[in-house]
Amino acid sequence: MQKKFDRGLERTRWLAGITVFAVLGLVGMLANPYVISLMTIVLLFTFLGQSWNLMLGIGGQLSIGHALFVGLGAYSVGVLYVKYGISPWVGLLTGMILAGSVGASIAWLSFRFEVRGIYFALLTIAAAEFARIMFSGWEFVGAMQGLFFPAPTGGIEISMLRGDARFYYFVALALAALGIIGTEFISRSYLGYVWRAMRDDESAARALGVRTFQHKILVISISAATAAAGGGVLALVQGSIFPDSIMGMGLSVDVLIGPVVGGLGTTFGPLVGSLAAIPLNHLMSALGDSLRIPGLNNITYGVVLISVVWFLPDGIWPAIVRLCKAIQAPPTALLWQSRKVEE
Amino acid sequence: MTTLLEVENLSRSFGGLVAVKDVSFSLRAGRITALIGPNGAGKTTCFNLVAGALKPTSGRVLFEGRQIDNSPPETVCRMGIARTFQIVRPMREMSVLENAMIGAFSWTRNVSEARSKAYESLESVGLAAKAHARTDQLTLPDRKMLETAKALSTRPKLLLLDEVMAGLRPTEAAGIVGVLQKLAEGGLTILLVEHVMRIVMEVASRVVVLHHGAKIAEGSPGEVVADPKVLESYLGAGFHA
């Protein structure tokens, strides 16, 4: 019976996933420019959230400096394209390799000297801030004045990854889909099991033969490289790169809002969380402007975060899954399944 | 009979405190050996030295003739020594089956292979029916057996069990004794750190007694309980049977 229920669940998951992406595809074709640009950001932060989620939600390593990797990706694309006219595809690849190596180096240094947990998180902030200050003073990459991409010519150029807002919406949608499929794939592979074991109890995992040192470096470099890919696309979408916004603490926080609100360690959490948090933030920001209440969006953000942590500590997505199961599954099956993380 | 593990003049001190002092013993393949002693005798320290969780201050540990005392726990595990923890440590967010799968990834990357090994391990400790349960739904004896199953999935040659029977009722302990005997019959070598004498008498073919960090006796269970030094360490001086 258990098996049958699992297979039913599996089918529901696939159906739900395909439906969601079909709807998002329709949105891309039909929606107005405002919705398109808002949703592009939602989807990009879904992808970035996914990358962060892989590291904490599955690998158990907290980063509060993901802006470093996002920024490295953005600058790789920006510098190569704006200064040398090299295709952003090359920039994306360069950024991923660069960020992956930087991530691996930070991880190696940190774990080599037994810096872990919250101290490792502090180190990620330090590294991100160091990079932000360095890029702010580095004339070659535009320093505080930033880098600007030339205005798009109007046509879509896949080889140069250039196009209109709708084109970037679909790029972001593809990235988000890739992120979800990739996470699901890793989650079900031996890496997923080993990383979750390491997250739940590192020394117990080592006693079971898990080479945690290598695995921590691996999960962090994968997370860093994917964050860089997201950062590269984010830079193209925004058309400009400024060190304070692309490498600042604010961005590091934006990256983790999606998965924290949506559900840590789940495959769909970052999408659900970004869908809930980012439009709300924009709405409140607009409302705050018209009501002349500066910072209304930040207050709302704070209230939403506290409410989620208070009422749904494991996030919105696991709560939705529990609700669905309560409706369609027999109660006995529910008993066994209710808190399994990878719904 | 071949010697699987050799402990030579092992010592470990924490600051000024000598927890294990010049201890030597060896384990024969396919046998259950028990490491016993009163509270604070250095049993768990000795156990952690063998498992690679602690480094010795002096002395050596040889497994199949190879020195292992400088290897980290994951390497020791991959060489064929699996351990359990005195305080049970299930991975809380993972199901019973998933917990039992982790150890298998030390020798395979194939998920379905790991899953069938995990079922096999759970089967051998009598937990197969609860494979899909959450770990917090298990009773204490079941959790202790899950620890054993997790260790078994690594395909060990030597299984180190740290007080698997502590805190259990006699009937629950009897169930575990049965499981251990069956594992030993299957050819597994077991080193048992245990506090409860009665159980040791039942399962172990050889007993090493520690007191104040030093080995005071070694032999068959019958020999050991007749040893006046052992009685003294457990019951105090002047008490003779």
Side-chain angles (χ1 to χ4, degrees):
Chain A
M1 197 212 77
Q2 183 65 41
K3 267 240 162 81
K4 213 165 161 190
F5 175 66
D6 277 350
R7 220 171 297 141
L9 201 73
E10 184 75 32
R11 217 176 33 230
T12 319
R13 269 167 81 86
W14 273 106
L15 267 174
I18 291 165
T19 314
V20 166
F21 279 93
V23 169
L24 288 171
L26 275 178
V27 167
M29 284 185 277
L30 304 173
N32 66 41
Y34 174 74
V35 173
I36 291 271
S37 71
L38 180 63
M39 285 303 292
T40 305
I41 296 299
V42 167
L43 291 170
L44 277 178
F45 276 89
T46 297
F47 180 73
L48 291 172
Q50 202 67 264
S51 115
W52 182 86
N53 192 35
L54 188 71
M55 192 165 143
L56 180 70
I58 300 181
Q61 309 304 316
L62 174 60
S63 155
I64 321 179
H66 244 50
L68 166 62
F69 309 126
V70 175
L72 287 175
Y75 274 105
S76 300
V77 169
V79 168
L80 289 179
Y81 183 67
V82 174
K83 300 254 171 188
Y84 304 104
I86 295 170
S87 164
W89 287 108
V90 178
L92 282 176
L93 196 67
T94 313
M96 288 177 77
I97 294 169
L98 185 65
S101 325
V102 168
S105 316
I106 294 172
W108 186 86
L109 269 176
S110 173
F111 301 135
R112 170 75 184 72
F113 296 103
E114 307 269 314
V115 174
R116 57 181 72 189
I118 198 71
Y119 300 101
F120 172 74
L122 290 176
L123 201 69
T124 62
I125 299 180
E129 283 297 276
F130 172 79
R132 182 183 63 83
I133 292 162
M134 189 180 104
F135 277 73
S136 302
W138 191 5
E139 289 300 333
F140 176 71
V141 300
M144 289 297 278
Q145 284 73 47
L147 274 179
F148 293 87
F149 290 85
T153 47
I156 292 170
E157 248 188 294
I158 299 224
S159 66
M160 293 304 268
L161 209 60
R162 301 286 283 160
D164 56 2
R166 203 178 298 278
F167 171 72
Y168 283 127
Y169 174 87
F170 282 102
V171 170
L173 182 61
L175 264 187
L178 257 173
I180 285 177
I181 294 167
T183 306
E184 192 70 10
F185 182 75
I186 289 179
S187 196
R188 287 164 189 234
S189 76
Y190 94 101
L191 288 175
Y193 288 90
V194 165
W195 289 352
R196 283 194 298 270
M198 170 171 96
R199 170 198 70 190
D200 283 0
D201 191 331
E202 193 181 327
S203 53
R206 291 183 71 181
L208 292 168
V210 179
R211 295 189 179 116
T212 54
F213 185 76
Q214 284 94 322
H215 278 293
K216 283 196 280 189
I217 292 177
L218 182 64
V219 73
I220 290 164
S221 23
I222 293 177
S223 176
T226 47
V233 176
L234 185 65
L236 287 168
V237 168
Q238 291 178 336
S240 59
I241 305 170
F242 299 100
D244 280 354
S245 58
I246 203 87
M247 273 183 175
M249 269 299 285
L251 194 101
S252 291
V253 173
D254 286 341
V255 166
L256 60 85
I257 294 271
V260 167
V261 170
L264 215 59
T266 62
T267 303
F268 291 102
L271 174 65
V272 174
S274 301
L275 269 174
I278 295 171
L280 182 74
N281 188 30
H282 278 241
L283 188 74
M284 285 302 150
S285 168
L287 198 67
D289 285 346
S290 58
L291 295 177
R292 294 178 197 288
I293 310 173
L296 182 66
N297 57 331
N298 288 333
I299 294 169
T300 324
Y301 237 39
V303 171
V304 167
L305 262 184
I306 292 169
S307 320
V308 166
V309 171
W310 191 263
F311 295 109
L312 303 167
D314 50 1
I316 298 176
W317 175 248
I320 295 175
V321 172
R322 273 199 299 274
L323 194 70
C324 291
K325 281 178 185 160
I327 295 165
Q328 57 165 228
T332 44
L334 196 70
L335 238 175
W336 300 122
Q337 289 279 335
S338 57
R339 259 194 59 103
K340 226 179 126 195
V341 182
E342 27 144 5
E343 281 71 37
Chain B
M1 215 170 243
T2 54
T3 302
L4 192 64
L5 183 94
E6 239 167 310
V7 172
E8 290 176 357
N9 309 103
L10 205 60
S11 297
R12 168 74 199 209
S13 38
F14 297 99
L17 177 80
V18 183
V20 171
K21 196 162 49 194
D22 202 26
V23 170
S24 303
F25 62 89
S26 58
L27 300 183
R28 289 193 201 149
R31 294 261 195 107
I32 300 182
T33 306
L35 191 60
I36 66 165
N39 276 332
K43 299 184 299 278
T44 294
T45 305
C46 196
F47 184 90
N48 281 328
L49 289 169
V50 174
L54 284 176
K55 307 241 171 296
T57 313
S58 66
R60 301 198 300 168
V61 181
L62 300 172
F63 180 68
E64 294 182 316
R66 283 191 291 174
Q67 190 167 354
I68 59 164
D69 48 67
N70 262 320
S71 307
E74 59 270 28
T75 309
V76 171
C77 170
R78 282 162 180 267
M79 291 170 94
I81 304 182
R83 69 164 295 177
T84 66
F85 289 90
Q86 191 173 343
I87 297 155
V88 291
R89 303 172 87 156
M91 287 27 181
R92 276 170 298 123
E93 302 285 335
M94 302 171 82
S95 72
V96 168
L97 180 67
E98 287 173 325
N99 263 277
M101 285 168 72
I102 304 160
F105 291 116
S106 62
W107 51 268
T108 180
R109 287 181 177 186
N110 183 325
V111 175
S112 59
E113 203 173 0
R115 192 174 287 124
S116 54
K117 178 67 195 175
Y119 269 118
E120 193 188 308
S121 306
L122 289 173
E123 189 85 54
S124 64
V125 300
L127 268 182
K130 292 170 184 160
H132 292 281
R134 280 161 22 207
T135 55
D136 58 6
Q137 293 170 323
L138 296 182
T139 59
L140 183 63
D142 279 352
R143 281 190 218 188
K144 298 242 173 190
M145 281 296 94
L146 175 59
E147 288 298 300
T148 311
K150 281 159 74 176
L152 286 176
S153 290
T154 65
R155 284 186 176 164
K157 294 172 195 153
L158 169 63
L159 180 61
L160 307 175
L161 299 173
D162 195 359
E163 303 216 6
V164 272
M165 265 145 319
L168 300 189
R169 286 195 295 266
T171 47
E172 295 165 344
I176 294 184
V177 165
V179 167
L180 297 186
Q181 277 165 342
K182 216 181 278 171
L183 289 173
E185 277 163 30
L188 188 65
T189 310
I190 298 176
L191 176 66
L192 206 61
V193 165
E194 203 48 71
H195 200 76
V196 192
M197 273 296 250
R198 204 182 46 74
I199 290 157
V200 170
M201 300 293 293
E202 223 176 307
V203 294
S205 60
R206 206 164 174 78
V207 179
V208 175
V209 189
L210 293 185
H211 187 49
H212 292 317
K215 186 172 91 172
I216 57 166
E218 185 177 357
S220 71
E223 287 162 17
V224 160
V225 287
D227 192 321
K229 272 188 292 185
V230 175
L231 289 174
E232 205 177 292
S233 72
Y234 265 86
L235 302 168
F239 194 98
H240 293 285

